[in-house]
Amino acid sequence: MSEFAFEVALCALLERERDEIIARQLGASVHGRRIMDIVCVEPGPDFAKRVAITPHEIPDAAIESRAGVGQARYYRNCFDMHPDRARSVAERAIEIGFFERVRQGSRLYVRQTARYPDEWFGKLVGIENKPDLAVPGDLELQLRKDVSLGVFDEVILATESYVTGAHLNRIPDEVGVWRFRPETGGLEVVREPTALDPAASGVDIVDEYAGRTDMRVATAAEKARLRRRMAERAYGKGWRSFDLPPCVHGAAKTVSGADGIPYCEWKESVVNPAEECGPACPGYEPADPPEIDIEAVRDRRTPWVANPKGPRTQSGLDRFL
């Protein structure tokens, strides 16, 4: 099984078992380069207020702007950035419903449609996927980066391999370990994760060379901003952030109980269309991708709401209050 198929199968299990926002492939570093395979976002006490604003990711610059919910302000005065960039952020915030456009003469004035709920998310759990522990890679360094930075509340390694004591000795003690069997959906907790401290400062391992490691301190404020950015990205993106196969053999299958999974009838397997579909594939025959409403699937199966009614509590979200 490919790493992509392993990843979407695990996302499918998490979607069934956890009432959380699940996302794939999110940036998880303040100063360096780190992409976390899966991120689970636990709803916080203000989750319903966040859901009511918009189904889209809210730009960080819009959240930190000086636009408020009271009097409308000239958009340039809301940002400390180039006017063109400020205009772009303001227009995007208007488009997704976080800002309201107010015209005063020829100038663009904006105000927020609702106060941003800082406590809309709780714990963030990062999951690194390594189906085969025998395959070489940077797993140890990646997990050391996660523990050293401490931006997640918990970090977990998910694998299909049998986990030995030697494997456990090569990764940080704080990292939890799951053995996941995607064909059956079985999950065994080999080791529970140790809670990290996102509220404290951390050390971001930027890069590692022979005999040298480059590191930078990440302040608590920088980590808090990264956590909010990850949570927003997860909310807007979800885990079905893939295209469907543009081929006559392509299908949107229900796999491991999850709808909308890219599947190839010719290969008889789950595929990653971005890497496996195209003229290089012997079975490729161009066609329109399968039709499926991914947003409707996500709305039906997760706490995310496709069409909120505005900045007020949504029906069915009282369990998060």
Side-chain angles (χ1 to χ4, degrees):
M1 176 174 284
S2 70
E3 188 162 334
F4 174 82
F6 179 92
E7 187 165 289
V8 297
L10 182 52
C11 285
L13 174 69
L14 295 170
E15 184 177 83
R16 292 198 308 274
E17 300 294 329
R18 302 168 78 127
D19 213 5
E20 299 177 350
I21 299 297
I22 312 297
R24 301 171 44 250
Q25 302 295 309
L26 299 187
S29 178
V30 174
H31 302 295
R33 299 180 302 276
R34 176 71 173 107
I35 302 296
M36 184 59 75
D37 289 330
I38 300 175
V39 175
C40 302
V41 182
E42 177 187 76
D46 288 339
F47 183 76
K49 294 178 182 177
R50 169 61 186 88
V51 168
I53 297 172
T54 176
H56 304 285
E57 174 188 357
I58 301 175
D60 205 53
I63 296 170
E64 296 188 343
S65 75
R66 290 183 289 275
V69 295
Q71 184 177 0
R73 304 189 66 179
Y74 181 43
Y75 80 94
R76 286 196 188 182
N77 295 336
C78 297
F79 302 93
D80 295 320
M81 61 179 66
H82 190 279
D84 290 346
R85 171 64 179 152
R87 180 80 184 215
S88 176
V89 173
E91 292 286 2
R92 177 57 182 164
I94 292 168
E95 180 184 2
I96 64 175
F98 183 55
F99 281 3
E100 179 182 14
R101 183 191 303 270
V102 179
R103 284 287 182 185
Q104 294 189 18
S106 60
R107 285 187 161 193
L108 172 61
Y109 281 67
V110 296
R111 61 172 164 242
Q112 289 180 203
T113 57
R115 287 185 174 85
Y116 184 80
D118 292 317
E119 296 186 7
W120 74 264
F121 64 93
K123 285 172 52 176
L124 298 185
V125 177
I127 302 173
E128 178 67 20
N129 298 319
K130 188 73 170 177
D132 187 353
L133 293 178
V135 175
D138 296 327
L139 178 64
E140 184 179 351
L141 174 59
Q142 290 170 330
L143 295 175
R144 282 200 294 112
K145 285 183 177 183
D146 301 329
V147 171
S148 176
L149 179 59
V151 74
F152 292 101
D153 294 89
E154 296 174 356
V155 174
I156 294 167
L157 167 65
T159 182
E160 194 173 3
S161 298
Y162 176 75
V163 182
T164 67
H167 290 135
L168 295 176
N169 289 335
R170 286 199 295 269
I171 64 174
D173 293 339
E174 296 88 345
V175 176
V177 180
W178 290 349
R179 190 179 184 199
F180 174 57
R181 297 169 179 81
E183 291 84 359
T184 63
L187 190 149
E188 173 193 355
V189 177
V190 178
R191 184 171 77 187
E192 293 283 0
T194 299
L196 303 177
D197 187 3
S201 60
V203 176
D204 206 349
I205 300 176
V206 179
D207 224 329
E208 192 170 64
Y209 310 92
R212 191 184 91 197
T213 300
D214 292 341
M215 298 179 290
R216 291 182 63 181
V217 172
T219 66
E222 288 174 324
K223 287 172 55 175
R225 185 179 183 187
L226 175 59
R227 283 170 61 84
R228 185 184 64 204
R229 194 162 60 239
M230 281 195 295
E232 277 295 333
R233 185 67 176 137
Y235 192 83
K237 181 180 181 183
W239 65 269
R240 291 177 177 83
S241 52
F242 40 69
D243 296 323
L244 294 173
C247 173
V248 69
H249 302 294
K253 285 266 189 172
T254 299
V255 178
S256 300
D259 300 334
I261 306 301
Y263 189 88
C264 175
E265 303 284 4
W266 186 77
K267 292 182 177 180
E268 298 184 339
S269 67
V270 173
V271 292
N272 183 353
E275 297 179 0
E276 301 177 61
C277 300
C281 173
Y284 179 67
E285 297 181 43
D288 291 333
E291 290 188 11
I292 184 170
D293 189 341
I294 293 296
E295 288 192 353
V297 172
R298 189 183 181 203
D299 184 277
R300 186 171 67 250
R301 292 185 173 272
T302 76
W304 179 83
V305 175
N307 296 298
K309 298 175 182 177
R312 56 182 179 274
T313 302
Q314 297 296 299
S315 174
L317 290 173
D318 55 327
R319 65 186 184 280
F320 299 116
L321 294 176

